[in-house]
Amino acid sequence: GPRVKSYQEAIEFYGPRWKDQNISVVDVGAGTGLLSIFCAKAGASKVHAVEASRLAYFTRQIAEANTAPGTVEVHEVRAEDLDL
């Protein structure tokens, strides 16, 4: 929808600035990992996709299929309990 498109456009606009800065992203409430994937493809060196539900199982599969190995790390945990 329009909200996701707006997020994607913002990530793609700022992403090139991330490539030389070793930027890490934390995507809280990652869901399917769509925004995590956008961030990884835009230039984030590491993305922590945080999803508390069992959906994290699929988030991991989707991220692995669409990003470079090791770029997106999926955490099946509540954000309050995340330890980076």
Side-chain angles (χ1 to χ4, degrees), residues 66-80:
N66 290 284
T67 61
T71 306
V72 177
E73 183 176 344
V74 178
H75 304 270
E76 187 175 345
V77 64
R78 295 179 336 143
E80 300 87 344

Side-chain angles (χ1 to χ4, degrees), residues 12-76:
E12 289 173 351
F13 179 80
Y14 289 104
R17 301 176 191 185
W18 302 342
K19 291 184 188 225
D20 298 326
Q21 298 183 31
N22 197 29
I23 295 294
S24 293
V25 173
V26 179
D27 180 7
V28 176
T32 61
L34 186 60
L35 298 180
S36 296
I37 292 166
F38 290 161
C39 290
K41 288 187 172 187
S45 58
K46 184 71 171 184
V47 180
H48 297 277
V50 183
E51 178 54 50
S53 76
R54 303 267 309 157
L55 182 61
Y57 171 81
F58 297 103
T59 308
R60 191 171 289 107
Q61 291 181 335
I62 293 166
E64 288 174 358
N66 290 284
T67 61
T71 306
V72 177
E73 183 176 344
V74 178
H75 304 270
E76 187 175 345

